[in-house]
Amino acid sequence: MSQSDQAHSTRAGLEVGTKRLVFAYIVSATAWLVVGTAYGLIAAIKLYWPEAMEYSVLSFGRTRPIHTNVVLLGWSSMALMGVALYVISRSSKTSLYRPGFARAGLILWNICMVLTVITLSVGLTRGPQEYREILTPIMVLYAIGLLCNFYTAYQTIARRKVPEVYVSNWYIMGAFCWLATIVVIGYLPFYQNGMGNIVIQGYFMHNAVGMWFTPMVLGITYYALPRMLGKPIYSYALGVLAFWTAILFYTLIGAHHFIFSPVAWWIQTTAILFSVGMMVPVWAGFGNFFLTARGSWSRVRRDYAIIFLLVGVWGYALSSTQGTIEAFRSANIYWHFTNFTVGHSHLAMYGFVAFCIWGFVYGLIPKITGRGPSQAAIGFHFWLAFLGGSLYVVSISIAGILQGTSWVAGESFIASVDAAAPMWLWRSIGGFMMVFSHIVFLVNLWAMRPLPVPPASEMVEATA
Amino acid sequence: MSLHTQHNQLIGIAALLFLILSLVIAVLPAFEAERTPPLSGIEQLSDEAKRGRVLYLEEGCGYCHTQFVRDLPVDKPYGRGSVPGDYALEVPPLLGTQRTGPDLANVGVRQPSEIWNLIHLYNPRAVVGTSVMPSYPWFFDTKAAADEGDIVVPVPEAFKPDGQAVIAKQEAMDIVRYLQSLKQAEVE
Ligand code: HEM
Ligand code: HEM
């Protein structure tokens, strides 16, 4: 860590309790990352070697939903909530209001994660409705935890010591409200028989990704990127434009998961049209970050935290553009139902969301705890995750293209399985590197832990 | 400019806008879609098949198998294009989004054989050499000799424990009955 960073870390002093809380969120999230991706690796290995680990609790149909729910809720969501608390407190220039609520939220979510793994392992599920598998009572607990967090977040922003609500907080507060809405709409039973369920399913799985993870990451990036580069964001107005257009367009495109389905045709067409519209907020956001980083390349090259974040920003542009193309009816014929979708979801949830989170953690946490891992250690994590993730995405996308081509050519079904199988091996190898990198991250995280502080300095006021 | 300083108005508008759009694009259409009547040719599931459907949910078969045929040439092998009336009685319906295995919307017609289905469930590779579908041995018993009334599954020698008989448990029968019930009804 350089001299100027050291100076920063004193100026950026957060209340000790807040530091600990933010760190506890990130440690929990990372533990779930290791668990969740280990499940992913088991599922991946089984597709290549179906005789492996033949136990009902580890069968493919059980491990897959455990993998998705643990990485989405345990890793991505918890990590983002933790970093968001930091950003809210810093950008509002005040300490967290009643952090006890956010702490209760963390405890509740960890309990819920354990319950989720247990119930899904034994087949207690609402069925293969992606990301709505978790039983209703457990989901109610998650929602309570979310609201606890939102209470702390909102009240802190309400008590800010600056007149303006910084744009990061627009996205973060929005994301909390939107997720709460999505969960309620997704779980209320009144309109969910037959095709009603499918209309809601498209809305739910799409918006959970687009109106929770995406705005959380973007919002935090509006704070973290300028801070890590030591210069202001390129255009504040562009961030505001992307905010409103995203609400307008993203909300309407859930049905693109069910193109050619019996879902009403007007809903599908709306979804396709606005999927194109999404290019406005996507490229506004990407362009804004890209132009902010321009001219700082000498700094970027020396700092793996910024490299993580910029790779994540690229992941955002690439995966979103890919998603728009997938929504077209002509492309959908080839790609829908294939592994191409799995490539897309990992390019997005890994290449975009996870890489940005790593950028935030490496870039921001050492500033508050005053210590961190060496660049070499961060670089080791980066290259493992980057090469492993790339191998995963490229191989599984090829698998998808091979499957789609085989089906369109009218071959027997098993021909598409045979064609994809070698790619499933490569995916597992990439996946192994990814899981290994997560263990490296856990070790690196330990090197950033807050020092135990004597009680006298407990109340360091936020000043910067 | 006032929005930039009024956190409550800002978040109120963002939340309300989202809620309204959600009602228009999801909740109201869902109410509408739910009212579709079932096709008149759809038969009620037997008790066995009902239990089989629950097992199908619990085992997560739906992560690899769709029950949703698109009205496209590429989907011809699986049956006719699915219509809303196909799903009117299903909670939750099992359209699915991924075909690691083939579509099963009409598998009761395509693959009606009880014996084939039992062997396949016990070990898919016994009937489809390069299948990557999981085996479900926990739905079967193995014992030295079958008793009266046992349903013996004629698993090829190479795929079963030496000298043992493979017996289908009730769960295996339930799943097979469910699969046999998957037949697309006539669209009137
Ligand atoms: C932060 C890391 C990760 C996240 C957020 C993540 C997220 C997801 C999501 C959202 C899906 C559902 C995909 C879809 O329905 O299209 C999925 C499926 C899957 N993931 Fe991951 N994943 C991560 C890492 C991994 C790793 C390291 C592996 C190891 C190989 C892995 C293996 C799988 C497998 C095998 C599936 C099932 C695909 C199928 O059904 O064929 N994932 N993951
Ligand atoms: C208990 C749950 C499951 C049931 C009842 C089931 C049922 C079936 C049936 C009836 C077929 C033959 C379809 C046909 O001939 O058209 C099949 C094929 C297939 N299934 Fe499954 N399946 C289940 C779970 C899974 C899972 C979890 C996977 C993915 C890992 C999978 C992958 C496959 C594949 C690749 C095929 C094509 C090759 C073959 O016929 O074995 N299945 N399945």
Side-chain angles (χ1 to χ4, degrees):
Chain A
M1 192 182 278
S2 71
Q3 286 284 299
S4 72
D5 276 346
Q6 290 285 5
H8 246 18
S9 67
T10 7
R11 265 197 291 133
L14 280 189
E15 211 184 311
V16 174
T18 306
K19 275 187 211 175
R20 292 242 174 84
L21 181 60
V22 169
F23 195 75
Y25 262 96
I26 295 169
V27 170
S28 301
T30 308
W32 290 114
L33 171 70
V34 174
V35 173
T37 50
Y39 269 102
L41 187 56
I42 293 174
I45 290 171
K46 278 167 176 267
L47 268 197
Y48 187 73
W49 186 20
E51 325 263 77
M53 295 170 272
E54 258 179 17
Y55 309 104
S56 66
V57 292
L58 288 181
S59 76
F60 185 92
R62 300 270 174 87
T63 45
R64 188 192 195 278
I66 296 176
H67 165 60
T68 53
N69 283 293
V70 171
V71 290
L72 295 180
L73 294 168
W75 157 243
S76 317
S77 298
M78 274 206 224
L80 286 169
M81 288 196 291
V83 179
L85 289 174
Y86 170 102
V87 171
I88 287 166
S89 166
R90 300 298 306 130
S91 62
S92 302
K93 304 218 185 306
T94 181
S95 49
L96 286 181
Y97 180 76
R98 297 215 181 161
F101 277 87
R103 196 170 300 124
L106 174 67
I107 294 169
L108 210 52
W109 269 54
N110 275 313
I111 295 172
C112 285
M113 287 312 307
V114 173
L115 293 176
T116 299
V117 173
I118 294 173
T119 49
L120 293 180
S121 292
V122 297
L124 288 170
T125 165
R126 298 173 74 245
Q129 323 179 48
E130 270 173 298
Y131 325 139
R132 294 197 293 168
E133 293 97 344
I134 295 171
L135 300 180
T136 309
I138 304 178
M139 194 46 98
V140 171
L141 289 182
Y142 275 115
I144 294 173
L146 183 80
L147 293 180
C148 287
N149 240 312
F150 181 57
Y151 179 78
T152 297
Y154 181 82
Q155 295 295 347
T156 306
I157 292 169
R159 284 164 178 72
R160 68 191 176 280
K161 301 268 165 56
V162 286
E164 299 228 329
V165 184
Y166 185 63
V167 69
S168 292
N169 298 329
W170 297 35
Y171 282 86
I172 294 169
M173 282 198 294
F176 273 108
C177 294
W178 300 327
L179 182 63
T181 312
I182 294 161
V183 170
V184 172
I185 290 181
Y187 270 73
L188 283 181
F190 310 120
Y191 32 78
Q192 304 231 18
N193 289 338
M195 284 307 292
N197 179 295
I198 295 301
V199 174
I200 299 299
Q201 177 59 29
Y203 166 84
F204 183 89
M205 67 176 164
H206 181 76
N207 280 291
V209 177
M211 297 305 280
W212 168 242
F213 296 118
T214 309
M216 282 296 261
V217 176
L218 295 181
I220 296 170
T221 307
Y222 279 107
Y223 173 85
L225 188 64
R227 178 119 175 77
M228 285 155 68
L229 290 170
K231 64 198 237 200
I233 192 82
Y234 174 76
S235 161
Y236 195 87
L238 219 47
V240 172
L241 170 86
F243 179 81
W244 295 111
T245 45
I247 303 182
L248 214 54
F249 297 161
Y250 236 135
T251 315
L252 299 175
I253 62 185
H256 67 196
H257 292 265
F258 291 99
I259 306 282
F260 294 113
S261 76
V263 170
W265 206 246
W266 72 266
I267 301 183
Q268 295 185 35
T269 305
T270 309
I272 298 171
L273 279 177
F274 284 102
S275 297
V276 179
M278 271 313 291
M279 290 291 93
V280 175
V282 166
W283 288 91
F286 170 76
N288 208 356
F289 299 140
F290 188 76
L291 292 171
T292 304
R294 196 180 55 174
S296 302
W297 299 126
S298 59
R299 171 140 195 182
V300 171
R301 252 186 297 125
R302 281 185 288 115
D303 189 345
Y304 272 112
I306 304 179
I307 297 179
F308 261 121
L309 187 51
L310 289 181
V311 168
V313 167
W314 268 103
Y316 176 52
L318 290 179
S319 61
S320 303
T321 308
Q322 180 194 30
T324 295
I325 298 172
E326 280 180 84
F328 290 124
R329 290 200 172 99
S330 49
N332 204 264
I333 292 179
Y334 276 89
W335 284 336
H336 189 54
F337 293 144
T338 73
N339 277 331
F340 199 79
T341 315
V342 180
H344 168 64
S345 46
H346 287 85
L347 182 56
M349 286 307 301
Y350 204 76
F352 163 42
V353 176
F355 270 71
C356 284
I357 295 174
W358 288 318
F360 303 149
V361 172
Y362 286 124
L364 299 177
I365 299 302
K367 287 195 200 300
I368 54 170
T369 63
R371 57 180 178 165
S374 67
Q375 279 296 318
I378 307 178
F380 187 46
H381 172 194
F382 175 83
W383 285 109
L384 269 175
F386 183 77
L387 295 176
S390 306
L391 185 56
Y392 182 121
V393 171
V394 169
S395 60
I396 206 69
S397 303
I398 295 176
I401 292 169
L402 294 174
Q403 289 174 317
T405 324
S406 165
W407 298 343
V408 171
E411 298 174 6
S412 74
F413 188 85
I414 199 68
S416 71
V417 175
D418 296 341
M423 291 302 139
W424 288 336
L425 179 60
W426 285 111
R427 186 259 298 267
S428 306
I429 296 170
F432 177 79
M433 292 166 68
M434 291 152 78
V435 175
F436 188 49
S437 82
H438 304 156
I439 295 167
V440 174
F441 176 54
L442 197 57
V443 174
N444 285 349
L445 193 58
W446 192 240
M448 292 182 239
R449 70 192 180 282
L451 285 166
V453 188
S457 56
E458 276 285 327
M459 293 298 290
V460 186
E461 246 314 301
T463 45
Chain B
M1 231 13 221
S2 80
L3 269 191
H4 292 251
T5 53
Q6 300 290 321
H7 58 271
N8 46 2
Q9 285 178 18
L10 172 65
I11 201 61
I13 293 174
L16 196 66
L17 183 59
F18 181 72
L19 182 65
I20 293 170
L21 290 172
S22 300
L23 292 177
V24 171
I25 199 68
V27 178
L28 297 178
F31 272 116
E32 176 75 28
E34 190 189 49
R35 279 203 297 274
T36 321
L39 296 179
S40 54
I42 293 181
E43 288 168 27
Q44 289 289 334
L45 293 185
S46 67
D47 286 345
E48 276 187 311
K50 266 187 205 148
R51 290 196 302 265
R53 189 174 201 271
V54 172
L55 288 167
Y56 187 94
L57 294 176
E58 291 180 355
E59 293 300 325
C61 311
Y63 293 104
C64 291
H65 293 285
T66 54
Q67 292 184 21
F68 156 23
V69 184
R70 301 165 298 178
D71 198 1
L72 297 172
V74 42
D75 276 12
K76 273 285 169 305
Y78 304 117
R80 61 155 170 80
S82 300
V83 295
D86 283 327
Y87 305 102
L89 299 175
E90 298 190 7
V91 192
L94 296 170
L95 283 80
T97 53
Q98 205 177 329
R99 279 188 195 152
T100 304
D103 185 273
L104 301 180
N106 203 31
V107 72
V109 172
R110 286 195 293 114
Q111 192 51 272
S113 158
E114 175 181 309
I115 291 183
W116 187 91
N117 273 304
L118 284 172
I119 301 176
H120 183 253
L121 195 63
Y122 180 72
N123 186 340
R125 281 149 296 283
V127 282
V128 183
T130 54
S131 174
V132 295
M133 173 166 152
S135 308
Y136 292 89
W138 43 89
F139 294 138
F140 298 83
D141 279 324
T142 48
K143 46 184 164 183
D147 297 320
E148 271 285 309
D150 278 352
I151 300 162
V152 181
V153 185
V155 179
E157 284 304 327
F159 291 91
K160 67 175 183 192
D162 274 338
Q164 302 261 313
V166 176
I167 315 290
K169 290 192 199 169
Q170 186 58 43
E171 285 99 324
M173 295 311 294
D174 292 344
I175 293 179
V176 171
R177 290 292 174 257
Y178 173 61
L179 292 174
Q180 289 172 326
S181 79
L182 292 173
K183 295 177 183 158
Q184 290 184 312
E186 193 95 26
V187 181
E188 56 268 33

